[in-house]
Amino acid sequence: MLYTQATIITVNPTRDIISDGALLVRGQTIAAIGKTSDLLTQYPDEPITALPNRIIIPGLINTHMHTAQTLIRGTADDLELVSWLCERIWPLQGNFTAEDGYAAARLSIAEMLLSGTTCFLESMFADRYGFEGLCRAVDESGARGCLGKIVMDGGTYGGDEKWAMHSGLIEDRETSLMGAVRMHEKWDGKADGRIKVWFGARTPGGVSESLYKEMAHLSRTKNIPITMHCAEAPADTVFFASKDHTAMSYCSSVNLLGPQTVLVHMVHLTAPDISALAETGTHVVHCPTSNSKLASGISPTPALLAAGVNVSLGTDGAPCNNTCDLLQEMKLAGILHKVSTMDPTSVPAEMVLELATINGAKALGLEGSIGSLEVGKKADFAVIDMRAVHLQPWHSAVSAVVYTATGRDVEMVIVDGKEVVKGGKLVTMDEEAVWKEAARRSKEVVERAGLTGKVGARWPVV
């Protein structure tokens, strides 16, 4: 298929933007890219999809996502992090069934695809949610998923006994670490290579140092990457200090730093921490909406980028963001650091788009196949329809994508050369069936957790 007449933001090494551009897809890959007139001449017999007044971008890459949590969207608004976790999120998630986990995964993936995300990193899917259901959901949807299976052997946050997990979520080494290894053996590389299985370690304080070290050893010997929340909240700093460490000196002590590790949030960092990240090639995920809503703080993203750390972008879960729309996340990422540094040139739109595309691909070890639109790479891209009052006029395609468009403006999404969204509608899933089942199951989870009277409106509903 030849997609023609669009403005194409390639994010290639020279960052070319092609006006009146065309892109040829053959099988799963991009076979040619250039001016529409040139490709029409070279491939006169190719079927054509004309896309005037559209912008084509590489498929967005969401490097921090809790697929289970989309089922409990809006159940924990306006709470600080530890209350949010201990009083709402963990009790709710501790009452999930595997069927709930599958429904939640389908809802999350549907929302991400519809808003232009083609690849995501699930941070730590618990055993009780049914990891194989998550894999099936990725396979059926046509999305690309790096799936973190939770690794843990402790049930507290930051090592503090008063911040205890719901008993239904606590796992031991055999269930979590060895379960992740078994899932890697069974599912890694499935769905035509679209599924990758990762270790999804709990935050320090929820994993013993011996288990971290064992996981790190398995990561290197079995080539299983690691993702982990780290240095998110002030409580994390207190934990590290109790061990006579900073965030990164602690991670180094348990062998977590390196190019196969993706650390999430990274708000409370010292200058030596940033240097350690750069020196070891460890990746960082920035989640500005979650950090803002939970009042965790502001990640030193400009300093990380200036030091040469690879930073990517994540939405986090729906209870601390309320959307899985990475386009909306991009806008906040571009604005937040302007005011935090009092420098409007800090983290410009072009840099933000890199966070959401090629930097995400680097974090996942997939920059050779996704993250930019280049010949030979996977045909993963999204088409934004600019034929709307709220999107016109525009002068810079990158500015329009980062600061103006939202997921609702995505018209078409291609993953592995296949159209998974067309005309703004899902092709691979029954959208209505997905949201109806999710809505029903969400109410059931809230009831089982005994939280029906606590998660609704604060104002009277008459």
Side-chain angles (χ1 to χ4, degrees):
M1 177 64 71
L2 189 59
Y3 298 89
T4 64
Q5 297 177 263
T7 297
I8 302 176
I9 304 175
T10 65
V11 198
N12 67 9
T14 53
R15 301 300 190 256
D16 294 321
I17 298 172
I18 306 172
S19 61
D20 193 12
L23 190 153
L24 176 65
V25 174
R26 290 266 175 88
Q28 300 175 337
T29 61
I30 297 170
I33 187 168
K35 289 285 191 179
T36 293
S37 57
D38 293 339
L39 267 63
L40 286 175
T41 299
Q42 294 173 45
Y43 305 99
D45 300 323
E46 194 71 31
I48 293 171
T49 296
L51 298 171
N53 297 305
R54 275 81 152 189
I55 297 174
I56 296 177
I57 62 174
L60 300 176
I61 300 171
N62 186 346
T63 50
H64 185 60
M65 173 64 192
H66 294 262
T67 50
Q69 288 184 359
T70 309
L71 199 71
I72 51 175
R73 192 196 320 262
T75 59
D77 292 330
D78 307 321
L79 298 173
E80 56 85 28
L81 176 61
V82 176
S83 297
W84 178 88
L85 270 176
C86 298
E87 297 173 13
R88 295 290 177 85
I89 301 306
W90 283 342
L92 289 165
Q93 293 181 162
N95 280 277
F96 266 49
T97 65
E99 291 77 15
D100 296 328
Y102 177 63
R106 282 165 52 81
L107 181 67
S108 298
I109 293 167
E111 183 179 353
M112 285 190 284
L113 288 175
L114 284 164
S115 54
T117 290
T118 55
C119 181
F120 69 96
L121 174 55
E122 158 61 46
S123 60
M124 49 179 191
F125 207 76
D127 190 70
R128 73 171 300 120
Y129 311 153
F131 189 84
E132 297 206 53
L134 171 61
C135 295
R136 290 200 314 275
V138 172
D139 188 7
E140 295 160 358
S141 68
R144 197 179 299 282
C146 297
L147 310 179
K149 168 74 173 65
I150 196 167
V151 175
M152 63 175 292
D153 57 357
T156 59
Y157 184 92
D160 193 321
E161 293 299 329
K162 73 175 180 290
W163 296 333
M165 293 185 82
H166 187 278
S167 60
L169 291 174
I170 297 174
E171 300 181 25
D172 58 16
R173 170 189 175 277
E174 177 61 28
T175 302
S176 65
L177 179 66
M178 303 317 296
V181 172
R182 289 190 292 271
M183 290 299 98
H184 183 269
E185 291 169 350
K186 182 172 182 178
W187 284 99
D188 193 73
K190 293 294 170 51
D192 293 325
R194 289 183 288 105
I195 293 175
K196 301 292 182 183
V197 177
W198 285 47
F199 290 133
R202 275 206 64 216
T203 309
V207 183
S208 66
E209 294 182 9
S210 61
L211 192 63
Y212 273 139
K213 290 177 180 178
E214 184 179 4
M215 178 185 67
H217 174 72
L218 289 171
S219 172
R220 289 163 175 78
T221 57
K222 293 182 177 291
N223 194 30
I224 305 175
I226 298 167
T227 186
M228 184 183 77
H229 297 67
C230 190
E232 178 179 4
D236 297 312
T237 301
V238 172
F239 171 79
F240 293 127
S242 74
K243 303 291 185 179
D244 295 322
H245 277 295
T246 67
M248 293 305 95
S249 68
Y250 179 86
C251 288
S252 178
S253 74
V254 292
N255 305 324
L256 286 177
L257 299 185
Q260 281 208 132
T261 296
V262 175
L263 298 177
V264 185
H265 297 301
M266 304 295 276
V267 173
H268 302 280
L269 301 175
T270 65
D273 285 335
I274 293 173
S275 295
L277 290 164
E279 290 165 5
T280 59
T282 307
H283 309 278
V284 169
V285 185
H286 183 31
C287 303
T289 299
S290 171
N291 296 157
S292 298
K293 188 178 180 186
L294 292 173
S296 299
I298 300 175
S299 166
T301 298
L304 287 163
L305 291 166
V309 177
N310 182 55
V311 181
S312 58
L313 198 62
T315 59
D316 209 338
C320 58
N321 186 321
N322 300 74
T323 178
C324 305
D325 181 352
L326 200 63
L327 280 163
Q328 292 190 48
E329 199 72 28
M330 288 165 64
K331 181 173 183 177
L332 183 57
I335 291 174
L336 181 63
H337 301 289
K338 298 182 189 328
V339 69
S340 70
T341 62
M342 294 302 292
D343 178 5
T345 68
S346 178
V347 191
E350 289 78 9
M351 187 177 288
V352 173
L353 188 58
E354 290 172 340
L355 301 188
T357 55
I358 193 63
N359 288 16
K362 290 175 181 175
L364 303 181
L366 298 175
E367 70 270 27
S369 57
I370 62 173
S372 62
L373 301 177
E374 302 177 61
V375 172
K377 282 197 169 186
K378 295 287 189 181
D380 287 17
F381 58 90
V383 179
I384 299 173
D385 189 349
M386 303 300 290
R387 299 173 300 171
V389 168
H390 67 281
L391 295 172
Q392 292 289 343
W394 61 270
H395 302 279
S396 160
V398 175
S399 172
V401 169
V402 172
Y403 293 131
T404 311
T406 72
R408 293 177 178 85
D409 301 310
V410 172
E411 176 186 12
M412 180 181 293
V413 178
I414 313 295
V415 184
D416 242 12
K418 298 177 182 177
E419 294 180 0
V420 295
V421 174
K422 187 173 184 178
K425 301 295 182 182
L426 282 168
V427 174
T428 56
M429 307 167 76
D430 183 335
E431 187 175 338
E432 184 175 1
V434 167
W435 72 255
K436 282 186 173 180
E437 182 180 11
R440 173 179 64 82
R441 287 189 174 277
S442 181
K443 291 182 174 63
E444 292 173 355
V445 169
V446 170
E447 289 172 2
R448 288 199 298 271
L451 292 172
T452 302
K454 295 184 178 181
V455 303
R458 290 186 173 93
W459 290 351
V461 178
V462 297

